[in-house]
Amino acid sequence: MGTKFDRYRVREGDKVDLCEIDADDNSAFDGGKEAATAKLDEVRDDIAVLQERLYAEDKHKVLVVLQAMDTAGKDSTIRDVFKETSPNGVHTFAFGRPSTEELAHDYLWRTHQHTPGSGQIHIFNRSHYEDVLVVRVNELVPEKTWKRRYEHISNFEQMLADEGTTILKFFLNISRDEQRERLQERVDLREKNWKFDPGDLPVRARWNDYMSAYEDAIEKTSTEQAPWFVIPANRRWYRKLAVAEIVSEALRDLDPRFPPPAAGIEGLVIE
Ligand code: ADP
């Protein structure tokens, strides 16, 4: 079976050339924006139903990792895909610049503390991957240190998977041109000014270095148990639908079920 959006899954051993991947692609959905928005409503409802069962069953753990260049839509993907779910069972964690305490520990420490427990879906807005992305590009640690991290990360994620965590990793792929337009909008529109961070400009200036770092990270850590999906993200409606469809499919595969009723409640009349 599988959703058509499964075409964005990176399989173990695949080469990833981000320059060659079309960030405008919308080949997994035949309708246009309007039809996609209607479809997204449906898929969101499916996710909500499945999430309630997952929470009630209290068995499966789900980790969703989102990585992207600035403006690609990490925040709005989280908002739009999980809109109908219950905050009791869905939690988001954002990983910005590490604190002094975090820096005093190994780099997996801060994310490991926030991996999901049974019945929970946890979403990482940035993640331990920053430690092979910004850290590599800005040379915050020596090359030999970041180079061995791919293996640590694969082992870490394998351990989580072995212990019952379903892992989905999304790279929201926007083009450099599209980012320019979105950053410009943040400068020009009063209601978007708050999103503009001058610190995003030096990151943009290193675009190619980031792409190389992403390519390596994705190639070296996409596994059967913890796959990466490279999602075309220039069209917002397509990006949301793609992530929603993949999440929904993964939850359906888990087949979460309501637990059996407590013994003896059949026919019970409450006074
Ligand atoms: P966002 O840009 O996602 O809205 P923030 O501006 O709060 O979030 O923080 C993100 C910044 O933190 C990014 O520039 C990112 O590269 C940086 N960052 C995240 N993890 C690390 C890390 N391990 N080491 C250094 N910088 C990091």
Side-chain angles (χ1 to χ4, degrees), residues 6-269:
D6 208 49
R7 69 187 61 184
Y8 300 120
R9 178 191 296 261
V10 176
R11 302 196 184 266
E12 227 164 312
D14 281 356
K15 289 303 272 176
V16 179
D17 185 349
L18 292 172
C19 293
E20 290 300 310
I21 297 179
D22 182 10
D24 279 300
D25 177 36
N26 62 348
S27 60
F29 187 73
D30 293 335
K33 181 177 176 180
E34 220 168 289
T37 308
K39 181 70 186 164
L40 179 62
D41 276 344
E42 272 174 41
V43 181
R44 269 202 294 242
D45 288 345
D46 292 343
I47 291 176
V49 167
L50 290 161
Q51 184 263 322
E52 189 188 19
R53 288 194 207 150
L54 189 104
Y55 182 71
E57 191 179 36
D58 197 17
K59 175 175 157 194
H60 301 288
K61 318 165 178 61
V62 179
L63 174 62
V64 176
V65 171
L66 287 173
Q67 286 287 160
M69 296 298 278
D70 295 305
T71 76
K74 292 189 280 37
D75 292 24
S76 43
T77 299
I78 296 169
R79 182 194 63 210
D80 291 324
V81 170
F82 294 96
K83 209 171 201 160
E84 302 299 331
T85 58
S86 167
N88 289 315
V90 180
H91 303 277
T92 300
F93 301 88
F95 298 98
R97 282 177 197 85
S99 66
T100 314
E101 192 186 17
E102 286 166 350
L103 284 172
H105 288 80
D106 69 85
Y107 70 99
L108 290 174
W109 181 77
R110 69 171 177 161
T111 44
H112 197 179
Q113 295 177 69
H114 297 299
T115 53
S118 317
Q120 300 285 329
I121 299 176
H122 284 193
I123 304 154
F124 284 1
N125 183 345
R126 301 184 190 269
S127 64
H128 42 286
Y129 283 96
E130 292 293 329
D131 291 281
V132 288
L133 295 167
V134 61
V135 167
R136 160 175 164 171
V137 172
N138 289 346
E139 298 176 39
L140 301 181
V141 298
E143 181 171 343
K144 73 170 189 337
T145 304
W146 59 255
K147 273 204 162 153
R148 59 190 179 212
R149 290 182 174 173
Y150 302 108
E151 199 178 341
H152 300 157
I153 291 174
S154 290
N155 289 338
F156 170 60
E157 292 177 352
Q158 184 65 49
M159 181 279 289
L160 294 176
D162 289 346
E163 296 289 318
T165 305
T166 297
I167 304 173
L168 301 170
K169 303 181 291 194
F170 296 98
F171 172 60
L172 308 180
N173 185 31
I174 53 164
S175 64
R176 192 160 189 265
D177 270 354
E178 180 67 24
Q179 192 197 47
R180 182 180 46 73
E181 281 178 29
R182 293 185 188 186
L183 284 171
Q184 191 65 54
E185 220 174 53
R186 292 181 176 189
V187 170
D188 295 343
L189 300 180
R190 180 66 194 95
E191 68 277 14
K192 292 204 173 175
N193 285 167
W194 67 275
K195 292 191 189 176
F196 184 74
D197 176 357
D200 294 347
L201 299 180
V203 178
R204 173 174 169 75
R206 306 289 301 271
W207 185 274
N208 292 340
D209 295 331
Y210 273 96
M211 289 306 108
S212 303
Y214 268 111
E215 285 167 355
D216 270 351
I218 293 168
E219 281 176 10
K220 291 178 194 297
T221 65
S222 203
T223 61
E224 178 77 27
Q225 307 293 337
W228 275 104
F229 296 84
V230 176
I231 303 293
N234 277 2
R235 297 171 210 257
R236 292 176 169 90
W237 57 268
Y238 192 73
R239 170 201 80 210
K240 291 177 211 175
L241 183 61
V243 175
E245 288 270 22
I246 293 164
V247 168
S248 150
E249 178 81 2
L251 295 180
R252 202 169 309 119
D253 281 351
L254 290 175
D255 192 21
R257 289 159 191 246
F258 289 121
I265 68 167
E266 202 182 335
L268 182 70
V269 176

